[in-house]
Amino acid sequence: MEKRKSAPPADLVWAYYLVAGALTVAAYYTAVLTGGPPVLRVTLYCLVSAAAAAAVLLGCVRNRPRSWLPWVLLGLSQVVYAAADANFYVTHFILGKTSFPAPADVLYLSHYPLVVAGLVLLIRRRTTGRDVPSLLDAALLAVVAGMLSWLYLIGPQTEADSPLLVKVASMAYPMMDLAMFAVAVRLILGRGRRNTAFVLLSTNLLAFFAADSTYVFQQLNQTYAAGNFLDAFWLSGNLALGAAALHPSMAHLADPGGAPDRGPGPLRITALCAAALIAPATLLVQYANGAYSSIPIVGCACAVLFVLTIARLAGLVSEQRRLAITDGLTGLRTRRYFEAELPAEIARARRAGSPLAVLIADVDHFKSINDRYGHPCGDRVLVEISRRLRRATRDTDILARYGGEEFALLIRGSGGEEPAVIGERIRRAVADSPVAIDGGHPPIEVTISVGTASFPLHGKTPADLVGAADRALYAAKNRGRDRVVDWPAEPEPDEDAGLTYLQRIADEVDSWLSTHEHGRAVGRWAALVAGELGRSPASVRLAELGGRLHDVGKILIPKEIWEKRDPLTEDEWKQIRQHPVYGYRLALAVPGLGGVADVIRQHHERFDGQGYPDRLAGTAIRFEARILAVCDTWAAILADRPYRPARTEAEAVRELLDARGTQLDPQVVTAFLDLHARGELGSLPRAGVTQAG
């Protein structure tokens, strides 16, 4: 059985098309140079034009561009152009009819509007927002081309001694070419993908403009002859259009893309300078030749070019200023801009007798996000927080990225309790939903702490105002994060004193039980595990405080029981099992520690429901308490106790693995041992020794 030949790969069809087209063009010029029959020459020439039209329509079917309408218009324009070629060459070189204008000219002129419409649609699809710099650059080049076209192509046609219809047709060609050139230059200089299809399409447009302009010039001088070098331009332009449509990259040619204008490069500057100098150079040439009638036209062109150049420079200055005051990552204002505006706003508020508020916000536990997920994910978090802050503030407010993960907000006309209300609004805007970070990671909960201060109540100078807001932010951090504090942030005596007292009790209990650190280590490990498991900053803080204070209830049980070396009696065991309840009651008495109290009460519950004091099981146990159970077990194994010596880390690992799913939450055990394997837990230090890190 004969093997069937496979079709050429889709990504090489355009290359085969170009090779076949090049051979056809070579055959055409061979026929011209050898004086081949007119029928052969006409057939070869028209074959290239018709093949380009077919290639565009085939490319639309094969590549299925997202924006198909521009390509359909370009394909229809090429169909009209191919029909014009067939009419022109058959009429002139086979039938011998050379009248002008002729039906072929109507077809030629009809294809231009389709090209322009297709290019305009491409430009609109490729450009997001306004691209004024490219528009100005294209306008500058179009003005120069229009001036030259008027002086050397259109103007002479108006002065020629020829019938009106001939004049109109002769002037229509360069004017249509100018329209196509202006739109083509706008496409070439604008934003968007510059792939292979883009290069081939640009080649088609520039080749046609150059050939058409030269053709009109040769017609004026009566030097045009079919088969000269211009046919190579037209034929090459046809091939470039067909190849652009057949290339797979044409499917994405209309996709928007490209960064905002960052200023023209050296090549673009050189081209624009050369174009701008053409007008005054032409003025001198016209003056030297005594063509004074053309001087007003060139003078007007110089004036327009001057205005366009000034507009371009103004745009560059404006863009550079915008870049100087805009943070490159978040798109917010920079700290330098904020600090420059603050004195002016204070002076304005002083004159008007109105208040002014400054808010400083900081992302909670941002370092742990970078450490766990990497800096690219950290950057995505900052970008998303910036977006949420922008949505929660007014356009008249000044929102700036003040530092790495710090943001500053300047609010006009805000005083009294309003800054704290606004601070709470932006805090909720950040914390209300998790932030997606991609990379296969689940969304993470992110919160911010906010400090506020207002003029003139809390400061009358920029330094005083920012300093007050910064101290309020520091107070918000100290009080557990994810909150708003309005300056003056007086300490809360009951909470601060109560927490300090409980911490002293916890340290006292630890000194009874072992020469090793316990509560501090358990709190530190609990925070690490909570962060490893992607818990919210508030949950991390809760786990840390719960670990720090989890044994505080032991103070209400006689010290002799804890120091006893002999086996405990049943009554002694009953007392020991009450220490989570005692600790719960002690923590509950301190304002703001309700959640910590719950964690302390549940830290001896077991995952299988066999723990105490409430025999909770599984997810009925607070997640922070489940974390605490693992960390407490690890610390107890590694510490020396009155009734037994310390054991090794290897033994501790085996015990945690044995307790998975019974005493301990398997998920927490896995996270804890991962941290241990990476060396992030450190050893259990001796009491009174601070561990680095």
Side-chain angles (χ1 to χ4, degrees):
M1 182 177 179
E2 183 181 0
K3 183 184 289 186
R4 183 166 49 179
K5 295 182 180 179
S6 60
D11 57 349
L12 291 179
V13 170
W14 68 279
Y16 294 133
Y17 167 81
L18 279 180
V19 171
L23 293 175
T24 305
V25 172
Y28 168 76
Y29 271 102
T30 300
V32 171
L33 295 174
T34 59
V39 173
L40 177 61
R41 292 163 53 187
V42 170
T43 300
L44 292 172
Y45 191 99
C46 294
L47 180 62
V48 175
S49 295
V56 174
L57 299 178
L58 178 62
C60 290
V61 174
R62 291 179 66 97
N63 297 321
R64 299 182 181 277
R66 294 187 181 93
S67 297
W68 54 269
L69 185 55
W71 285 103
V72 169
L73 291 173
L74 292 176
L76 291 177
S77 75
Q78 187 61 28
V79 169
V80 175
Y81 191 86
D85 273 348
N87 185 286
F88 176 83
Y89 283 98
V90 168
T91 302
H92 278 63
F93 300 109
I94 295 179
L95 303 180
K97 297 180 180 180
T98 58
S99 60
F100 177 81
D105 297 297
V106 176
L107 292 172
Y108 278 129
L109 292 172
S110 298
H111 103 283
Y112 285 104
L114 293 170
V115 173
V116 171
L119 295 180
V120 168
L121 285 178
L122 268 181
I123 293 169
R124 293 185 61 182
R125 300 285 196 278
R126 288 165 60 87
T127 306
T128 54
R130 297 184 302 171
D131 188 8
V132 177
S134 296
L135 182 62
L136 291 173
D137 292 348
L140 189 148
L141 295 175
V143 167
V144 173
M147 179 197 70
L148 295 176
S149 183
W150 176 267
L151 291 178
Y152 300 108
L153 300 179
I154 301 174
Q157 294 285 3
T158 63
E159 299 173 359
D161 186 16
S162 55
L164 178 61
L165 196 57
V166 173
K167 282 187 177 183
V168 170
S170 299
M171 290 188 294
Y173 276 105
M175 292 176 68
M176 289 291 188
D177 278 320
L178 273 177
M180 184 183 73
F181 175 78
V183 179
V185 171
R186 175 66 179 82
L187 173 69
I188 293 169
L189 296 181
R191 302 175 192 165
R193 296 172 181 265
R194 282 169 165 74
N195 50 27
T196 304
F198 174 85
V199 174
L200 290 169
L201 180 59
S202 301
T203 301
N204 160 261
L205 297 171
L206 295 179
F208 267 59
F209 176 75
D212 288 352
S213 300
T214 307
Y215 168 75
V216 174
F217 187 76
Q218 289 184 351
Q219 286 283 42
L220 282 171
N221 297 327
Q222 297 183 346
T223 58
Y224 172 73
N228 69 4
F229 68 93
L230 288 182
D231 286 353
F233 279 85
W234 281 312
L235 292 171
S236 299
N238 286 324
L239 290 177
L241 177 62
L246 290 173
H247 196 277
S249 63
M250 69 86 76
H252 305 286
L253 186 61
D255 293 352
D261 183 63
R262 301 290 183 183
L267 182 62
R268 190 156 170 172
I269 290 176
T270 302
L272 293 174
C273 288
L277 291 173
I278 287 176
T282 304
L283 188 63
L284 294 175
V285 171
Q286 295 295 99
Y287 176 79
N289 293 335
Y292 302 119
S293 61
S294 301
I295 290 178
I297 299 296
V298 182
C300 290
C302 288
V304 173
L305 291 174
F306 177 78
V307 171
L308 290 173
T309 303
I310 293 298
R312 188 66 167 97
L313 290 175
L316 284 174
V317 172
S318 176
E319 178 66 13
Q320 291 304 312
R321 182 178 183 276
R322 187 191 68 80
L323 293 175
I325 64 175
T326 303
D327 178 64
L329 176 66
T330 63
L332 303 180
R333 296 304 187 200
T334 60
R335 176 172 182 162
R336 178 179 298 180
Y337 178 83
F338 182 88
E339 291 177 338
E341 288 294 307
L342 183 55
E345 292 297 333
I346 290 177
R348 187 178 295 113
R350 183 180 289 113
R351 289 193 302 270
S354 61
L356 180 74
V358 169
L359 282 68
I360 297 182
D362 184 85
V363 183
D364 297 326
H365 300 291
F366 185 71
K367 183 178 183 299
S368 65
I369 296 174
N370 276 337
D371 291 345
R372 183 178 183 190
Y373 301 104
H375 289 277
C377 287
D379 288 346
R380 282 194 283 274
V381 169
L382 290 177
V383 170
E384 175 59 21
I385 290 175
S386 301
R387 187 186 67 82
R388 296 181 184 186
L389 291 176
R390 193 182 291 112
R391 288 174 55 187
T393 54
R394 303 173 302 182
D395 292 338
T396 55
D397 300 335
I398 297 177
L399 178 62
R401 185 183 179 190
Y402 202 65
E405 64 269 18
E406 274 192 337
F407 301 88
L409 180 62
L410 182 60
I411 309 172
R412 304 176 180 93
S414 178
E417 297 180 356
E418 189 176 358
V421 173
I422 296 173
E424 180 62 20
R425 185 172 71 232
I426 67 173
R427 186 198 68 79
R428 288 182 178 276
V430 172
D432 274 353
S433 60
V435 175
I437 57 174
D438 302 328
H441 301 293
I444 60 175
E445 297 178 16
V446 180
T447 61
I448 59 173
S449 300
V450 184
T452 79
S454 59
F455 168 87
L457 185 60
H458 304 134
K460 297 182 180 180
T461 68
D464 290 344
L465 204 54
V466 171
D470 202 46
R471 289 191 294 274
L473 170 65
Y474 185 76
K477 291 284 189 181
N478 282 344
R479 293 181 184 178
R481 300 178 172 86
D482 190 22
R483 65 190 63 205
V484 180
V485 172
D486 191 22
W487 188 258
E490 290 90 356
E492 300 175 18
D494 291 341
E495 178 181 341
D496 291 351
L499 179 59
T500 302
Y501 178 67
L502 291 181
Q503 289 173 340
R504 284 202 300 267
I505 292 176
D507 290 341
E508 175 70 17
V509 170
D510 286 350
S511 69
W512 297 352
L513 301 176
S514 174
T515 59
H516 285 87
E517 184 180 276
H518 187 75
R520 293 177 186 270
V522 170
R524 183 171 62 252
W525 294 337
L528 287 173
V529 175
E532 177 76 6
L533 290 169
R535 304 295 294 176
S536 71
S539 178
V540 172
R541 176 63 174 164
L542 191 60
E544 183 179 16
L545 272 179
R548 179 75 175 84
L549 303 176
H550 71 284
D551 277 345
V552 71
K554 291 180 178 180
I555 195 70
L556 299 178
I557 298 173
K559 183 179 179 181
E560 294 76 16
I561 293 179
W562 299 114
E563 294 179 341
K564 187 176 181 180
R565 296 179 179 274
D566 297 330
L568 299 177
T569 66
E570 184 59 32
D571 182 64
E572 289 170 338
W573 271 115
K574 287 181 179 178
Q575 292 186 63
I576 284 177
R577 292 191 183 100
Q578 285 300 303
H579 87 265
V581 178
Y582 297 154
Y584 165 78
R585 292 171 181 170
L586 287 172
L588 199 61
V590 178
L593 293 187
V596 175
D598 289 337
V599 174
I600 293 173
R601 183 184 182 97
Q602 297 176 15
H603 81 275
H604 271 300
E605 301 289 354
R606 289 172 53 112
F607 199 69
D608 59 5
Q610 300 303 308
Y612 60 87
D614 301 312
R615 300 182 72 83
L616 302 177
T619 57
I621 307 169
R622 287 194 67 135
F623 201 91
E624 295 83 5
R626 284 180 266 155
I627 293 174
L628 193 54
V630 175
C631 299
D632 186 31
T633 301
W634 181 267
I637 295 170
L638 297 184
D640 57 322
R641 292 296 172 97
Y643 49 86
R644 60 153 180 80
R647 287 178 284 174
T648 65
E649 289 187 355
E651 291 175 302
V653 170
R654 284 196 297 272
E655 188 159 329
L656 290 189
L657 292 174
D658 291 342
R660 282 192 306 182
T662 54
Q663 178 186 347
L664 304 174
D665 184 335
Q667 180 187 8
V668 178
V669 171
T670 300
F672 186 93
L673 293 180
D674 285 345
L675 287 168
H676 169 65
R678 299 201 300 264
E680 296 183 24
L681 297 177
S683 59
L684 181 66
R686 291 282 177 179
V689 178
T690 301
Q691 189 174 23

